[in-house]
């Protein structure tokens, strides 16, 4: 199974020029991790500022985009101590939230 994510391949003030969609195999969550199937993601000024180099000018490329998303837990790794289970609704606030 594959999933799609937004990445920036270079830095520019023209968001549409530097952002593309990549398809990758769905990862298996590792120990203490959960896998989230995003339902909604927010693309906003923070993503535009990131791709323009205003936050992390020397960050290695490509950059995984996204700062917030909501979805459901689709898999739980071993030793996940937070009590999440498949089907739980979650919100994510982190760099690369669209992964």
């Amino acid at each position: 199974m594959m999933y799609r994510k937004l990445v920036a391949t270079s830095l520019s003030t023209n968001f549409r020029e530097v952002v593309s969609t990549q398809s990758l195999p769905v990862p298996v969550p590792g120990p203490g991790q959960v896998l989230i199937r995003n339902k909604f993601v927010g693309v906003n000024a923070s993503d535009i500022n990131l791709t323009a180099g205003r936050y992390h000018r020397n960050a290695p490329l490509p950059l995984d985009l996204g700062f917030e998303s909501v979805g459901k837990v689709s898999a739980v790794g071993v030793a996940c101590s937070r009590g999440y289970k498949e089907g739980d609704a979650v919100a994510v606030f982190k760099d690369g939230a669209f992964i």
Side-chain angles (χ1 to χ4, degrees):
M1 184 187 292
M2 304 291 278
Y3 78 100
R4 294 175 299 170
K5 70 176 182 174
L6 289 178
V7 296
T9 54
S10 62
L11 298 180
S12 171
T13 55
N14 188 329
F15 184 80
R16 291 181 181 178
E17 277 186 8
V18 299
V19 174
S20 64
T21 303
Q22 288 185 351
S23 292
L24 298 166
V26 173
V28 175
Q33 297 179 331
V34 296
L35 181 64
I36 299 166
R37 181 178 178 95
N38 288 332
K39 181 74 172 174
F40 299 100
V41 297
V43 177
N44 55 44
S46 296
D47 298 290
I48 293 167
N49 287 327
L50 178 66
T51 59
R54 294 186 182 113
Y55 295 151
H56 310 289
R57 182 163 298 282
N58 297 319
L61 297 168
L63 293 171
D64 292 328
L65 298 182
F67 289 96
E68 68 267 343
S69 67
V70 294
K72 291 192 175 189
V73 173
S74 61
V76 179
V78 297
C80 183
S81 61
R82 304 242 181 211
Y84 293 111
K85 61 186 179 308
E86 287 187 36
D88 284 351
V90 292
V92 177
F93 300 97
K94 67 179 268 325
D95 287 358
F98 298 169
I99 297 176

